[in-house]
Amino acid sequence: MSDATNITFTIETFPNPAPLRPYTIMHVNSEFTSVCPITGLPDFGTITVKYVPDQTCIELKALKYYFLDFRNKGIFYEAVTNKILDDLVAVCNPLEMDVVAEWSVRGGIHSVIHASHKREK
Amino acid sequence: MSDATNITFTIETFPNPAPLRPYTIMHVNSEFTSVCPITGLPDFGTITVKYVPDQTCIELKALKYYFLDFRNKGIFYEAVTNKILDDLVAVCNPLEMDVVAEWSVRGGIHSVIHASHKREK
Amino acid sequence: MSDATNITFTIETFPNPAPLRPYTIMHVNSEFTSVCPITGLPDFGTITVKYVPDQTCIELKALKYYFLDFRNKGIFYEAVTNKILDDLVAVCNPLEMDVVAEWSVRGGIHSVIHASHKREK
Amino acid sequence: MSDATNITFTIETFPNPAPLRPYTIMHVNSEFTSVCPITGLPDFGTITVKYVPDQTCIELKALKYYFLDFRNKGIFYEAVTNKILDDLVAVCNPLEMDVVAEWSVRGGIHSVIHASHKREK
Amino acid sequence: MSDATNITFTIETFPNPAPLRPYTIMHVNSEFTSVCPITGLPDFGTITVKYVPDQTCIELKALKYYFLDFRNKGIFYEAVTNKILDDLVAVCNPLEMDVVAEWSVRGGIHSVIHASHKREK
Amino acid sequence: MSDATNITFTIETFPNPAPLRPYTIMHVNSEFTSVCPITGLPDFGTITVKYVPDQTCIELKALKYYFLDFRNKGIFYEAVTNKILDDLVAVCNPLEMDVVAEWSVRGGIHSVIHASHKREK
Amino acid sequence: MSDATNITFTIETFPNPAPLRPYTIMHVNSEFTSVCPITGLPDFGTITVKYVPDQTCIELKALKYYFLDFRNKGIFYEAVTNKILDDLVAVCNPLEMDVVAEWSVRGGIHSVIHASHKREK
Amino acid sequence: MSDATNITFTIETFPNPAPLRPYTIMHVNSEFTSVCPITGLPDFGTITVKYVPDQTCIELKALKYYFLDFRNKGIFYEAVTNKILDDLVAVCNPLEMDVVAEWSVRGGIHSVIHASHKREK
Amino acid sequence: MSDATNITFTIETFPNPAPLRPYTIMHVNSEFTSVCPITGLPDFGTITVKYVPDQTCIELKALKYYFLDFRNKGIFYEAVTNKILDDLVAVCNPLEMDVVAEWSVRGGIHSVIHASHKREK
Amino acid sequence: MSDATNITFTIETFPNPAPLRPYTIMHVNSEFTSVCPITGLPDFGTITVKYVPDQTCIELKALKYYFLDFRNKGIFYEAVTNKILDDLVAVCNPLEMDVVAEWSVRGGIHSVIHASHKREK
């Protein structure tokens, strides 16, 4: 199993059509799946990305392909959430961004990880 | 496919029956549809308009016809949300207005765009 | 169709049993109906009245009969919400009162009007 | 507005992968829209097609494009349901087929039309 | 209060577009209201009409106006259900018809009346 | 605590307005309460009475008062369900009657008792 | 019917196992019933008690018996909510306490009363 | 871990109060737990017992204690369902009995076992 | 992408603990995923397997690994449903088996395939 | 029954993969069970642990085994909530932690206990 931290990617963007007005864009992917690095069994989750764009918006189809790259990678809950936040902030440099990962039940336990980024002024 | 930014429209209004008291009016249209400018396939969404009127309220039937004008126009998620906000603010000059567009699932991803306007004092 | 602004009414009240403690009373009437003044067709809605009483509480049965008086009157969404707030504030002089009117779908659009009153100190 | 009965179409099919075993295929399109022939206003509905294939299955993407052809056609609730059943039976000659059309609320009334076809032995 | 049995009405119909195929039409009116003949207080209910047409279908807008005629009439739960069934069978002579009336809670009790008609062969 | 089998009652009835057509009447009382004969603690349940009337219907307000008589009586789940069926069959001699009693959770267990009567021909 | 203000009671308490840390305890009783002092008919409601204990916690079984004492008492919605708050504050002297009473529908109206206590420092 | 097939038990019963009328009794225990005999980890489920009594009914509190005996026993899904059916049929000799065991998710899979008994005539 | 029809597998079984009594076992896997053979994009679905065992039951963990083998295989909706049914019937030779595959929305269309097997007597 | 305060445990941890960014981790265990110290009967609940890690995260499988240790211990609602908070704070020294315990209904009452810890700066 390859190391998820080595995913190389490009995510297409487009210019924000309303750069003068702060507003919120949210994309909810309820079909995210990656692999547990210990057991090799798949994990299933819902990833929510919510951001206030500055000059650049993330293209929706490109975002879908970015998520697909995790399908067969081994990565932990906490790590994948922070990695998605790091990657997407790097791509579009938003004013604010939240990433929430909600995972399906494992051993009777349901987990949710929530990480946020706010651009320093 | 015509350019959605060229929609010409008039939206009938009526005088606010309680102009001395700030209060909130919300209209939720769960039957909004426009067209994806890239694929030509239809998009379906729910548009929520929530505002605090000043002197003028938006007439409900006129609002319905305004939304119908998008039925066969090609326009992106982020653009349509901001355009509706711009158009309706221009029509009734409210104290505050929010427009939320919630789109049905495409490629496993559900998107929500939320833009706000607040009148400067 | 008579003019709803001419409804004459009396609403029975009773002394607040706990006048020294600010607390909240909410009554939700999910069976409100009035008439659209343009089409003559009935409107159906849920009216929520929430208030912090001062010396006086609104009697529940009297409130029901007050709502019944709108059954065959023609009145707009925005007007009826503000009128109910004005009428009930006049009746019991509360510290605070909110009236929320949620209307059933018309032409694919669901509307909610929310008006508030706060007594000046 | 053109006459919906004049829609010309081809729907791609593929050979049933299990022709020896009767089984059921159901496709639910919750994004169907056509136009009321009287008012010119759009109708929104959910179309469910459920069938037992014989030698031929309906290709899913082709079915989507078939439904899209109704977007700007004027046709009544009862007629569109029967037309979809007629068209799809002609395309794949199934052992059985059901078409259910559930329409969003108009004037406080929600309508459902259900038509069935069973091949004579 | 007038006697509901004296409602005079005409309900527009149209020719069944698929008279050779038995199929089902269901209209659900969730905004029915009439008046209790004893207390004079309004009753609220959902009326479902489901039928297999023969030569004639009931026009939807006409059905809405038929229901509106009960708004200020005094009539009991059991009587109104049977009257609607009698009236609509007389209008369109269907192969089968069901009328279900579901009433909102009164005194902690929720009531449902269900009457059916099947044409004798 | 008195013995529930000693409840004396009269339940007002009225003539069936459609005696020639078999149809179904259902009354659902979600506010039933009686007392456990062993612990003296209250039981709470929903009682559904569904019947096909012959010549006689049960008056709704009378039914409510009949149910109220159980409020402080001690009676077991199985017994109360059968008693209500016996009593109401005796009152209106229906073609068919079902009584279903659904009880709130006790010790992690939710119980439902269902008894039926069908008139012999 | 006795006067509810005369209920005499004792509610067992126990020492707070974590007196150094402010935390919240909530008990929701969905089986509360009392009697309307005007009609003599039963009222049904859900009582929620939420508090931050100081030195003393309310014993759960004792709380259940305290609620049972209202079963056959006549008391108004507003009064019972304030009385429960007064009684329970007197019993355990908490840092904060909220009592919310949600009543089942009467005449189409659902009522909720919410009273709070905060200990003065 | 002891062998679940060795559970010894007695379940108190009482005489059926309506032995002349076939009727249905259902008890739903949503707090069942036993142990997986392979992993030693707990399983959680909902057990529904539904039966038509003959001369004898199962006492509710006794049923609760019978279920509690499985808390620390190792037993498979299929075996526990059949064992409960065997045990309870032996205790009350009903006309019919169904046992349904619905298990919480393990490894993304939710399992339901359903076994029935019908007395031979 | 390899051909799904070439999946080789073994599924562990165990002897039916109640072979004399026909009963039903249902396993619902809400985390099934395979790949569309045309687009290469993943499909997500819920697979329900319901069967009446004869001498042999399917081991739950083995079933989970069988489903995992489809994760990166290209296979159509109709084919995968029939293949699972064929494979599992071959493994345990049940009296009856149903396989239902419910797929997440693609292009606004939700699909469900249902195939059944009944052993000939 | 042993004293729950004597549970000895070790909970495996791992280094926080994003120690420079405050973020939230939530684990929801809907299969918690312990024993009432008075009656010896089992309690069932959902335990939610939500925390902002500093240098150390709690390993998920270890958390599961920690919860399992309560299965046959006698401990009160208020005590178990505070003990879990104390234990987990001691294990990972988080910036903030919340523990919420929601208990299933006992005697018609549903209880929720909520305790929080915030690290002093």
Side-chain angles (χ1 to χ4, degrees), chain E residues 78 82 85-86 107-116, chain F residues 14 17-18 21 23-31 60 64:
Chain E
E78 289 83 359
N82 282 288
L85 181 56
D86 289 340
I109 297 183
H110 163 63
S111 298
V112 180
I113 318 292
H114 183 169
S116 301
Chain F
F14 62 94
R21 169 192 294 143
Y23 68 101
T24 306
I25 298 170
M26 183 169 74
H27 298 303
V28 182
N29 177 10
S30 56
E31 298 182 348
L60 186 56
K64 184 174 79 171

PDB file of all heavy atoms in Angstrom, chain E residues 78 82 85-86 107-116, chain F residues 14 17-18 21 23-31 60 64:
ATOM      1  N   GLU E  78     -67.611  10.984   9.092  1.00  0.00           N
ATOM      2  CA  GLU E  78     -68.069   9.818   8.337  1.00  0.00           C
ATOM      3  C   GLU E  78     -68.887  10.256   7.126  1.00  0.00           C
ATOM      4  O   GLU E  78     -68.784   9.674   6.039  1.00  0.00           O
ATOM      5  CB  GLU E  78     -68.931   8.888   9.226  1.00  0.00           C
ATOM      6  CG  GLU E  78     -68.155   8.131  10.298  1.00  0.00           C
ATOM      7  CD  GLU E  78     -67.912   8.964  11.559  1.00  0.00           C
ATOM      8  OE1 GLU E  78     -68.327  10.147  11.600  1.00  0.00           O
ATOM      9  OE2 GLU E  78     -67.314   8.419  12.509  1.00  0.00           O
ATOM     10  N   ASN E  82     -68.034   9.719   2.796  1.00  0.00           N
ATOM     11  CA  ASN E  82     -68.959   9.021   1.911  1.00  0.00           C
ATOM     12  C   ASN E  82     -69.547   9.953   0.849  1.00  0.00           C
ATOM     13  O   ASN E  82     -69.757   9.539  -0.291  1.00  0.00           O
ATOM     14  CB  ASN E  82     -70.072   8.363   2.747  1.00  0.00           C
ATOM     15  CG  ASN E  82     -69.589   7.076   3.400  1.00  0.00           C
ATOM     16  OD1 ASN E  82     -69.397   6.066   2.719  1.00  0.00           O
ATOM     17  ND2 ASN E  82     -69.352   7.108   4.709  1.00  0.00           N
ATOM     18  N   LEU E  85     -67.020  10.435  -1.966  1.00  0.00           N
ATOM     19  CA  LEU E  85     -66.998   9.232  -2.807  1.00  0.00           C
ATOM     20  C   LEU E  85     -68.225   9.199  -3.724  1.00  0.00           C
ATOM     21  O   LEU E  85     -68.104   8.968  -4.935  1.00  0.00           O
ATOM     22  CB  LEU E  85     -66.938   7.975  -1.921  1.00  0.00           C
ATOM     23  CG  LEU E  85     -66.890   6.646  -2.656  1.00  0.00           C
ATOM     24  CD1 LEU E  85     -65.717   6.576  -3.628  1.00  0.00           C
ATOM     25  CD2 LEU E  85     -66.800   5.479  -1.664  1.00  0.00           C
ATOM     26  N   ASP E  86     -69.408   9.458  -3.168  1.00  0.00           N
ATOM     27  CA  ASP E  86     -70.632   9.455  -3.986  1.00  0.00           C
ATOM     28  C   ASP E  86     -70.541  10.489  -5.116  1.00  0.00           C
ATOM     29  O   ASP E  86     -70.848  10.202  -6.273  1.00  0.00           O
ATOM     30  CB  ASP E  86     -71.859   9.770  -3.116  1.00  0.00           C
ATOM     31  CG  ASP E  86     -72.214   8.622  -2.176  1.00  0.00           C
ATOM     32  OD1 ASP E  86     -71.781   7.477  -2.428  1.00  0.00           O
ATOM     33  OD2 ASP E  86     -72.924   8.881  -1.183  1.00  0.00           O
ATOM     34  N   GLY E 107     -58.983  16.404  20.809  1.00  0.00           N
ATOM     35  CA  GLY E 107     -59.099  15.760  22.125  1.00  0.00           C
ATOM     36  C   GLY E 107     -58.176  14.573  22.270  1.00  0.00           C
ATOM     37  O   GLY E 107     -58.516  13.590  22.923  1.00  0.00           O
ATOM     38  N   GLY E 108     -57.013  14.634  21.626  1.00  0.00           N
ATOM     39  CA  GLY E 108     -56.033  13.551  21.715  1.00  0.00           C
ATOM     40  C   GLY E 108     -56.312  12.391  20.789  1.00  0.00           C
ATOM     41  O   GLY E 108     -55.605  11.393  20.814  1.00  0.00           O
ATOM     42  N   ILE E 109     -57.363  12.493  19.941  1.00  0.00           N
ATOM     43  CA  ILE E 109     -57.745  11.387  19.050  1.00  0.00           C
ATOM     44  C   ILE E 109     -57.630  11.825  17.595  1.00  0.00           C
ATOM     45  O   ILE E 109     -58.110  12.894  17.213  1.00  0.00           O
ATOM     46  CB  ILE E 109     -59.179  10.886  19.359  1.00  0.00           C
ATOM     47  CG1 ILE E 109     -59.224  10.319  20.779  1.00  0.00           C
ATOM     48  CG2 ILE E 109     -59.612   9.822  18.352  1.00  0.00           C
ATOM     49  CD1 ILE E 109     -60.570   9.729  21.181  1.00  0.00           C
ATOM     50  N   HIS E 110     -56.945  11.002  16.817  1.00  0.00           N
ATOM     51  CA  HIS E 110     -56.725  11.183  15.380  1.00  0.00           C
ATOM     52  C   HIS E 110     -57.618  10.170  14.654  1.00  0.00           C
ATOM     53  O   HIS E 110     -57.576   8.979  14.966  1.00  0.00           O
ATOM     54  CB  HIS E 110     -55.243  10.921  15.094  1.00  0.00           C
ATOM     55  CG  HIS E 110     -54.857  10.668  13.681  1.00  0.00           C
ATOM     56  ND1 HIS E 110     -55.010  11.603  12.688  1.00  0.00           N
ATOM     57  CD2 HIS E 110     -54.305   9.583  13.093  1.00  0.00           C
ATOM     58  CE1 HIS E 110     -54.570  11.091  11.541  1.00  0.00           C
ATOM     59  NE2 HIS E 110     -54.132   9.879  11.762  1.00  0.00           N
ATOM     60  N   SER E 111     -58.432  10.626  13.694  1.00  0.00           N
ATOM     61  CA  SER E 111     -59.381   9.725  13.040  1.00  0.00           C
ATOM     62  C   SER E 111     -59.108   9.617  11.542  1.00  0.00           C
ATOM     63  O   SER E 111     -58.679  10.596  10.916  1.00  0.00           O
ATOM     64  CB  SER E 111     -60.815  10.235  13.241  1.00  0.00           C
ATOM     65  OG  SER E 111     -61.148  10.248  14.614  1.00  0.00           O
ATOM     66  N   VAL E 112     -59.343   8.428  11.005  1.00  0.00           N
ATOM     67  CA  VAL E 112     -59.174   8.170   9.574  1.00  0.00           C
ATOM     68  C   VAL E 112     -60.391   7.388   9.083  1.00  0.00           C
ATOM     69  O   VAL E 112     -60.740   6.363   9.667  1.00  0.00           O
ATOM     70  CB  VAL E 112     -57.888   7.354   9.300  1.00  0.00           C
ATOM     71  CG1 VAL E 112     -57.724   7.089   7.808  1.00  0.00           C
ATOM     72  CG2 VAL E 112     -56.662   8.050   9.853  1.00  0.00           C
ATOM     73  N   ILE E 113     -61.016   7.879   8.010  1.00  0.00           N
ATOM     74  CA  ILE E 113     -62.175   7.178   7.433  1.00  0.00           C
ATOM     75  C   ILE E 113     -61.806   6.763   6.009  1.00  0.00           C
ATOM     76  O   ILE E 113     -61.222   7.551   5.275  1.00  0.00           O
ATOM     77  CB  ILE E 113     -63.428   8.088   7.389  1.00  0.00           C
ATOM     78  CG1 ILE E 113     -63.584   8.900   8.679  1.00  0.00           C
ATOM     79  CG2 ILE E 113     -64.681   7.286   7.073  1.00  0.00           C
ATOM     80  CD1 ILE E 113     -63.911   8.120   9.909  1.00  0.00           C
ATOM     81  N   HIS E 114     -62.129   5.535   5.625  1.00  0.00           N
ATOM     82  CA  HIS E 114     -61.736   5.000   4.328  1.00  0.00           C
ATOM     83  C   HIS E 114     -62.934   4.304   3.677  1.00  0.00           C
ATOM     84  O   HIS E 114     -63.397   3.281   4.167  1.00  0.00           O
ATOM     85  CB  HIS E 114     -60.580   4.014   4.526  1.00  0.00           C
ATOM     86  CG  HIS E 114     -60.039   3.439   3.258  1.00  0.00           C
ATOM     87  ND1 HIS E 114     -58.882   2.720   3.189  1.00  0.00           N
ATOM     88  CD2 HIS E 114     -60.517   3.458   1.978  1.00  0.00           C
ATOM     89  CE1 HIS E 114     -58.656   2.330   1.944  1.00  0.00           C
ATOM     90  NE2 HIS E 114     -59.634   2.756   1.195  1.00  0.00           N
ATOM     91  N   ALA E 115     -63.404   4.852   2.553  1.00  0.00           N
ATOM     92  CA  ALA E 115     -64.539   4.244   1.841  1.00  0.00           C
ATOM     93  C   ALA E 115     -64.141   3.926   0.403  1.00  0.00           C
ATOM     94  O   ALA E 115     -63.376   4.669  -0.215  1.00  0.00           O
ATOM     95  CB  ALA E 115     -65.733   5.198   1.861  1.00  0.00           C
ATOM     96  N   SER E 116     -64.670   2.823  -0.128  1.00  0.00           N
ATOM     97  CA  SER E 116     -64.297   2.341  -1.454  1.00  0.00           C
ATOM     98  C   SER E 116     -65.530   2.071  -2.305  1.00  0.00           C
ATOM     99  O   SER E 116     -66.585   1.691  -1.794  1.00  0.00           O
ATOM    100  CB  SER E 116     -63.513   1.019  -1.353  1.00  0.00           C
ATOM    101  OG  SER E 116     -62.351   1.180  -0.600  1.00  0.00           O
TER     102      SER E 116
ATOM    103  N   PHE F  14     -74.364   6.821  17.026  1.00  0.00           N
ATOM    104  CA  PHE F  14     -75.270   7.502  16.086  1.00  0.00           C
ATOM    105  C   PHE F  14     -75.447   6.578  14.885  1.00  0.00           C
ATOM    106  O   PHE F  14     -74.611   5.701  14.627  1.00  0.00           O
ATOM    107  CB  PHE F  14     -74.741   8.879  15.690  1.00  0.00           C
ATOM    108  CG  PHE F  14     -73.427   8.880  14.967  1.00  0.00           C
ATOM    109  CD1 PHE F  14     -73.381   8.877  13.570  1.00  0.00           C
ATOM    110  CD2 PHE F  14     -72.234   8.866  15.670  1.00  0.00           C
ATOM    111  CE1 PHE F  14     -72.165   8.887  12.904  1.00  0.00           C
ATOM    112  CE2 PHE F  14     -71.019   8.874  15.006  1.00  0.00           C
ATOM    113  CZ  PHE F  14     -70.980   8.884  13.629  1.00  0.00           C
ATOM    114  N   PRO F  17     -74.174   6.768   8.619  1.00  0.00           N
ATOM    115  CA  PRO F  17     -74.741   7.550   7.511  1.00  0.00           C
ATOM    116  C   PRO F  17     -74.641   6.846   6.152  1.00  0.00           C
ATOM    117  O   PRO F  17     -75.226   7.330   5.189  1.00  0.00           O
ATOM    118  CB  PRO F  17     -73.877   8.834   7.519  1.00  0.00           C
ATOM    119  CG  PRO F  17     -72.585   8.434   8.138  1.00  0.00           C
ATOM    120  CD  PRO F  17     -72.917   7.360   9.134  1.00  0.00           C
ATOM    121  N   ALA F  18     -73.919   5.727   6.058  1.00  0.00           N
ATOM    122  CA  ALA F  18     -73.789   5.014   4.780  1.00  0.00           C
ATOM    123  C   ALA F  18     -73.901   3.516   5.032  1.00  0.00           C
ATOM    124  O   ALA F  18     -72.961   2.763   4.784  1.00  0.00           O
ATOM    125  CB  ALA F  18     -72.447   5.372   4.114  1.00  0.00           C
ATOM    126  N   ARG F  21     -72.846   0.644   2.365  1.00  0.00           N
ATOM    127  CA  ARG F  21     -71.481   0.473   1.856  1.00  0.00           C
ATOM    128  C   ARG F  21     -70.536   0.116   3.005  1.00  0.00           C
ATOM    129  O   ARG F  21     -70.365   0.904   3.924  1.00  0.00           O
ATOM    130  CB  ARG F  21     -71.017   1.785   1.225  1.00  0.00           C
ATOM    131  CG  ARG F  21     -69.517   1.815   0.892  1.00  0.00           C
ATOM    132  CD  ARG F  21     -69.061   3.202   0.542  1.00  0.00           C
ATOM    133  NE  ARG F  21     -69.685   3.648  -0.699  1.00  0.00           N
ATOM    134  CZ  ARG F  21     -70.075   4.894  -0.925  1.00  0.00           C
ATOM    135  NH1 ARG F  21     -69.938   5.815   0.008  1.00  0.00           N
ATOM    136  NH2 ARG F  21     -70.617   5.222  -2.082  1.00  0.00           N
ATOM    137  N   TYR F  23     -67.387   0.290   4.924  1.00  0.00           N
ATOM    138  CA  TYR F  23     -66.211   1.182   4.928  1.00  0.00           C
ATOM    139  C   TYR F  23     -65.580   1.153   6.310  1.00  0.00           C
ATOM    140  O   TYR F  23     -66.127   0.560   7.236  1.00  0.00           O
ATOM    141  CB  TYR F  23     -66.602   2.599   4.495  1.00  0.00           C
ATOM    142  CG  TYR F  23     -67.475   3.350   5.458  1.00  0.00           C
ATOM    143  CD1 TYR F  23     -66.958   4.312   6.304  1.00  0.00           C
ATOM    144  CD2 TYR F  23     -68.848   3.091   5.534  1.00  0.00           C
ATOM    145  CE1 TYR F  23     -67.754   5.003   7.193  1.00  0.00           C
ATOM    146  CE2 TYR F  23     -69.648   3.776   6.425  1.00  0.00           C
ATOM    147  CZ  TYR F  23     -69.106   4.734   7.249  1.00  0.00           C
ATOM    148  OH  TYR F  23     -69.901   5.397   8.141  1.00  0.00           O
ATOM    149  N   THR F  24     -64.412   1.761   6.435  1.00  0.00           N
ATOM    150  CA  THR F  24     -63.612   1.604   7.643  1.00  0.00           C
ATOM    151  C   THR F  24     -63.476   2.921   8.386  1.00  0.00           C
ATOM    152  O   THR F  24     -63.206   3.956   7.780  1.00  0.00           O
ATOM    153  CB  THR F  24     -62.201   1.100   7.275  1.00  0.00           C
ATOM    154  OG1 THR F  24     -62.343  -0.066   6.492  1.00  0.00           O
ATOM    155  CG2 THR F  24     -61.392   0.786   8.512  1.00  0.00           C
ATOM    156  N   ILE F  25     -63.634   2.870   9.701  1.00  0.00           N
ATOM    157  CA  ILE F  25     -63.452   4.017  10.585  1.00  0.00           C
ATOM    158  C   ILE F  25     -62.334   3.672  11.556  1.00  0.00           C
ATOM    159  O   ILE F  25     -62.351   2.604  12.155  1.00  0.00           O
ATOM    160  CB  ILE F  25     -64.755   4.310  11.372  1.00  0.00           C
ATOM    161  CG1 ILE F  25     -65.889   4.670  10.408  1.00  0.00           C
ATOM    162  CG2 ILE F  25     -64.537   5.410  12.406  1.00  0.00           C
ATOM    163  CD1 ILE F  25     -67.263   4.748  11.069  1.00  0.00           C
ATOM    164  N   MET F  26     -61.347   4.563  11.685  1.00  0.00           N
ATOM    165  CA  MET F  26     -60.241   4.320  12.618  1.00  0.00           C
ATOM    166  C   MET F  26     -60.084   5.516  13.542  1.00  0.00           C
ATOM    167  O   MET F  26     -60.027   6.659  13.094  1.00  0.00           O
ATOM    168  CB  MET F  26     -58.950   4.095  11.841  1.00  0.00           C
ATOM    169  CG  MET F  26     -57.770   3.766  12.739  1.00  0.00           C
ATOM    170  SD  MET F  26     -56.315   3.203  11.818  1.00  0.00           S
ATOM    171  CE  MET F  26     -55.741   4.739  11.107  1.00  0.00           C
ATOM    172  N   HIS F  27     -60.017   5.262  14.849  1.00  0.00           N
ATOM    173  CA  HIS F  27     -59.741   6.305  15.838  1.00  0.00           C
ATOM    174  C   HIS F  27     -58.470   5.917  16.591  1.00  0.00           C
ATOM    175  O   HIS F  27     -58.382   4.814  17.120  1.00  0.00           O
ATOM    176  CB  HIS F  27     -60.906   6.460  16.820  1.00  0.00           C
ATOM    177  CG  HIS F  27     -62.196   6.877  16.190  1.00  0.00           C
ATOM    178  ND1 HIS F  27     -62.322   8.033  15.453  1.00  0.00           N
ATOM    179  CD2 HIS F  27     -63.428   6.295  16.158  1.00  0.00           C
ATOM    180  CE1 HIS F  27     -63.565   8.154  15.018  1.00  0.00           C
ATOM    181  NE2 HIS F  27     -64.260   7.111  15.423  1.00  0.00           N
ATOM    182  N   VAL F  28     -57.510   6.834  16.642  1.00  0.00           N
ATOM    183  CA  VAL F  28     -56.223   6.569  17.282  1.00  0.00           C
ATOM    184  C   VAL F  28     -56.082   7.502  18.479  1.00  0.00           C
ATOM    185  O   VAL F  28     -55.989   8.716  18.310  1.00  0.00           O
ATOM    186  CB  VAL F  28     -55.055   6.804  16.291  1.00  0.00           C
ATOM    187  CG1 VAL F  28     -53.719   6.478  16.956  1.00  0.00           C
ATOM    188  CG2 VAL F  28     -55.236   5.997  15.026  1.00  0.00           C
ATOM    189  N   ASN F  29     -56.071   6.939  19.679  1.00  0.00           N
ATOM    190  CA  ASN F  29     -55.920   7.736  20.898  1.00  0.00           C
ATOM    191  C   ASN F  29     -54.495   7.569  21.415  1.00  0.00           C
ATOM    192  O   ASN F  29     -54.152   6.535  21.988  1.00  0.00           O
ATOM    193  CB  ASN F  29     -56.934   7.257  21.950  1.00  0.00           C
ATOM    194  CG  ASN F  29     -56.762   8.004  23.255  1.00  0.00           C
ATOM    195  OD1 ASN F  29     -56.028   8.986  23.326  1.00  0.00           O
ATOM    196  ND2 ASN F  29     -57.434   7.542  24.296  1.00  0.00           N
ATOM    197  N   SER F  30     -53.685   8.611  21.228  1.00  0.00           N
ATOM    198  CA  SER F  30     -52.283   8.517  21.642  1.00  0.00           C
ATOM    199  C   SER F  30     -52.080   9.001  23.072  1.00  0.00           C
ATOM    200  O   SER F  30     -50.958   9.214  23.501  1.00  0.00           O
ATOM    201  CB  SER F  30     -51.409   9.317  20.680  1.00  0.00           C
ATOM    202  OG  SER F  30     -51.856  10.644  20.628  1.00  0.00           O
ATOM    203  N   GLU F  31     -53.161   9.180  23.805  1.00  0.00           N
ATOM    204  CA  GLU F  31     -53.055   9.686  25.185  1.00  0.00           C
ATOM    205  C   GLU F  31     -53.757   8.760  26.175  1.00  0.00           C
ATOM    206  O   GLU F  31     -54.375   9.214  27.137  1.00  0.00           O
ATOM    207  CB  GLU F  31     -53.651  11.096  25.262  1.00  0.00           C
ATOM    208  CG  GLU F  31     -52.930  12.104  24.383  1.00  0.00           C
ATOM    209  CD  GLU F  31     -53.485  13.505  24.498  1.00  0.00           C
ATOM    210  OE1 GLU F  31     -54.573  13.677  25.078  1.00  0.00           O
ATOM    211  OE2 GLU F  31     -52.840  14.433  23.995  1.00  0.00           O
ATOM    212  N   LEU F  60     -67.485  10.117  18.762  1.00  0.00           N
ATOM    213  CA  LEU F  60     -66.071  10.341  19.069  1.00  0.00           C
ATOM    214  C   LEU F  60     -65.854  10.872  20.484  1.00  0.00           C
ATOM    215  O   LEU F  60     -64.956  10.413  21.202  1.00  0.00           O
ATOM    216  CB  LEU F  60     -65.491  11.321  18.040  1.00  0.00           C
ATOM    217  CG  LEU F  60     -64.000  11.570  18.102  1.00  0.00           C
ATOM    218  CD1 LEU F  60     -63.228  10.269  17.979  1.00  0.00           C
ATOM    219  CD2 LEU F  60     -63.597  12.506  16.973  1.00  0.00           C
ATOM    220  N   LYS F  64     -63.834   9.161  23.741  1.00  0.00           N
ATOM    221  CA  LYS F  64     -62.798   9.810  24.555  1.00  0.00           C
ATOM    222  C   LYS F  64     -63.081   9.625  26.041  1.00  0.00           C
ATOM    223  O   LYS F  64     -62.187   9.276  26.818  1.00  0.00           O
ATOM    224  CB  LYS F  64     -62.730  11.304  24.209  1.00  0.00           C
ATOM    225  CG  LYS F  64     -61.632  12.038  24.929  1.00  0.00           C
ATOM    226  CD  LYS F  64     -61.496  13.474  24.463  1.00  0.00           C
ATOM    227  CE  LYS F  64     -62.557  14.353  25.095  1.00  0.00           C
ATOM    228  NZ  LYS F  64     -62.321  15.787  24.816  1.00  0.00           N
TER     229      LYS F  64
END
